[in-house]
């Protein structure tokens, strides 16, 4: 079923969904060996966590910290965490020395990360790219040595074509960061790979648990990793999780509202990495049960957040800034008293924004 988005209510409040029982839900943690795997990779370092007191004052909370993924394993987005672990697991499952073509579809960052990991492991990559991905992102994937196939359709269509190409070639494996019934093992590894980001965050925050973590969402795999991390650990009840999507591609918000996964039509958005019309089937049960709230933001909201963060010294692209745009929409303006109550936020709360990518070329 395809449903259309509802960007804002008539009264001007942002589109909002809240689930009061989310923090009572629990699940199993990601496997412990993932963080050790990443720590052994060349160029690995924890990404910075930057405190922005001026932003905390403006949003009316105790602390705001930005987890800055603008440089992760030499790439400008968090996606290399998932691609590296998934490619490692795919190659470990094959006979030694047997070459493999790693196939994926991308709206930019994931495809570049798969292409980089393939090259590092001496394998070839084929990356399907939908319409609307900026030429600079396509050039970056080509520069990693991958073959690029441009698709005259949406991200969902590019995923279909990549899956068909991988199925047709016995020497190929699909390394996709979204799941559907019957294709869940590799996306599961990708989500496991994202766990390292949250383990770093724990170490950086010390004894403190954030009251709110704000997650930019495309298909919901990163949000699945966030839910897994906080709902699996003792004390995870202290942390609310808010997903943020482009108002033109808010498939998770639409699905949460209907209490079942639905697809939404997508167009173009500057938040290219989040331009996805269908939630990951693997992520969906986690999001439905473990996310506290979901919100949608406009390209304009994201652009304003890019500017504000740049003025505060944090470089991020439109997806990265979506976390601030979502926090701003949730915590300020009409209806914010109720939204803060939905999130259980008091005036001294610590809020973590996941800035998932660095500044992108425009
Ligand atoms: C920069 C950036 N932020 C956020 C996301 C959303 O992640 P997910 O699709 O796992 O929800 C992506 C996905 O490609 C991305 O590239």
């Amino acid at each position: 079923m395809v449903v259309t988005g509802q960007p804002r209510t008539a009264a001007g409040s942002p589109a909002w969904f809240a689930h009061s029982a989310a923090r009572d839900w629990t699940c199993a943690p990601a496997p412990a060996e993932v963080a050790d795997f990443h720590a052994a990779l060349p160029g690995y370092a924890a990404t910075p966590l930057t405190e922005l007191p001026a932003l905390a004052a403006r949003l009316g909370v105790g602390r705001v910290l930005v987890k800055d993924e603008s440089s992760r394993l030499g790439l400008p987005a968090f996606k290399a965490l998932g691609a590296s672990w998934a490619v490692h697991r795919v190659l470990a499952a094959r006979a030694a020395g047997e070459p493999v073509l790693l196939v994926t579809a991308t709206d930019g960052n994931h495809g570049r990360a798969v292409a980089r990991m393939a090259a590092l492991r001496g394998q070839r990559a084929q990356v399907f790219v939908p319409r609307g991905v900026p030429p600079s992102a396509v050039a970056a994937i080509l520069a990693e040595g991958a073959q690029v196939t441009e698709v005259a359709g949406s991200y969902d269509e590019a995923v279909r074509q990549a899956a068909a190409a991988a199925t047709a070639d016995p020497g190929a494996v699909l390394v996709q960061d979204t799941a559907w019934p019957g294709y869940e093992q590799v996306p599961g590894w990708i989500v496991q790979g994202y766990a390292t980001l949250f383990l770093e965050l724990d170490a950086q925050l010390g004894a403190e648990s954030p009251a709110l973590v704000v997650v930019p969402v495309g298909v919901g795999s990163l949000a699945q990793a966030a839910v897994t991390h906080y709902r699996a650990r003792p004390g995870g009840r202290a942390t609310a999780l808010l997903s943020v999507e482009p108002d033109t591609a808010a498939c998770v918000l639409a699905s949460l509202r209907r209490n079942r996964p639905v697809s939404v039509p997508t167009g173009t958005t500057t938040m290219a990495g989040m331009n996805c019309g269908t939630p990951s089937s693997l992520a969906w049960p986690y999001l439905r049960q473990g996310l506290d709230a979901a919100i949608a933001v406009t390209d304009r909201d994201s652009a304003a957040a890019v500017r504000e963060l740049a003025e505060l010294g944090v470089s991020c692209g439109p997806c990265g800034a979506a976390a601030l745009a979502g926090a701003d929409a949730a915590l300020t303006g009409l209806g914010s008293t109720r939204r803060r109550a939905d999130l259980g936020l008091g005036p001294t709360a610590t809020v973590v924004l996941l800035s998932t990518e660095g500044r992108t070329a425009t």
Side-chain angles (χ1 to χ4, degrees):
M1 175 190 170
V2 171
V3 296
T4 43
Q6 287 171 285
R8 272 177 202 264
T9 61
S13 298
W16 176 255
F17 171 90
H19 175 206
S20 60
R23 269 175 272 173
D24 296 327
W25 190 68
T26 56
C27 61
E33 71 258 34
V34 177
D36 292 341
F37 165 80
H38 284 133
L41 289 178
Y44 170 80
T47 54
L49 185 67
T50 305
E51 178 146 18
L52 299 175
L55 202 47
R58 186 173 80 67
L59 296 179
V61 293
R63 301 177 78 192
V64 172
L65 301 119
V66 178
K67 181 71 171 153
D68 176 358
E69 295 292 312
S70 59
S71 180
R72 171 63 85 178
L73 292 166
L75 291 172
F78 74 100
K79 306 293 295 195
L81 287 174
S84 57
W85 176 244
V87 167
H88 170 72
R89 293 297 308 259
V90 164
L91 297 180
R94 292 178 76 87
E98 193 189 350
V100 61
L101 175 67
L102 299 167
V103 178
T104 196
T106 188
D107 34 31
N109 295 308
H110 171 70
R112 185 174 177 194
V114 169
R116 169 73 60 93
M117 296 307 149
L120 284 174
R121 302 293 298 260
Q123 308 294 336
R124 290 179 305 125
Q126 182 180 10
V127 181
F128 288 72
V129 176
R131 69 159 189 254
V133 170
S136 55
V138 175
I141 297 166
L142 284 168
E144 303 292 344
Q147 177 193 339
V148 170
T149 304
E150 299 203 41
V151 174
S154 65
Y155 170 79
D156 287 14
E157 178 56 26
V159 171
R160 274 190 287 277
Q161 291 196 19
T167 306
D169 180 347
V173 174
L174 184 69
V175 184
Q176 200 55 60
D177 53 350
T178 189
W180 52 89
Y183 179 72
E184 287 176 331
Q185 186 178 49
V186 174
W189 288 332
I190 289 173
V191 173
Q192 288 176 359
Y194 299 156
T196 296
L197 187 158
F198 299 99
L199 289 165
E200 287 175 6
L201 195 47
D202 284 351
Q204 288 164 321
L205 283 170
E208 190 177 1
S209 285
L212 174 66
V213 176
V214 189
V215 189
V217 162
V219 300
S221 291
L222 177 62
Q224 179 188 347
V227 168
T228 303
H229 183 77
Y230 290 103
R231 302 298 170 245
R233 70 175 195 172
R237 281 198 99 264
T239 302
L241 299 168
L242 168 63
S243 74
V244 184
E245 292 170 284
D247 61 347
T248 54
C251 60
V252 167
L253 181 63
S255 300
L256 290 168
R257 284 196 161 143
R258 283 157 189 78
N259 202 24
R260 67 196 169 83
V262 294
S263 294
V264 299
T266 55
T268 53
T269 164
T270 51
M271 292 170 267
M274 300 153 71
N275 195 11
C276 309
T278 306
S280 165
S281 65
L282 199 58
W284 168 246
Y286 290 80
L287 306 182
R288 184 174 72 79
Q289 294 169 107
L291 262 187
D292 294 78
I295 199 164
V297 299
T298 65
D299 283 2
R300 226 173 121 159
D301 298 332
S302 158
V306 168
R307 283 194 298 276
E308 183 170 13
L309 287 166
E311 277 162 22
L312 296 170
V314 178
S315 159
C316 61
C319 293
L324 171 56
D328 197 0
L331 304 186
T332 66
L334 202 64
S336 58
T337 305
R338 201 204 60 187
R339 291 191 295 275
R340 281 173 184 260
D342 286 342
L343 294 167
L345 282 196
T348 59
T350 293
V351 174
V352 173
L353 308 176
L354 301 187
S355 177
T356 48
E357 67 180 355
R359 187 147 208 134
T360 49
T362 45

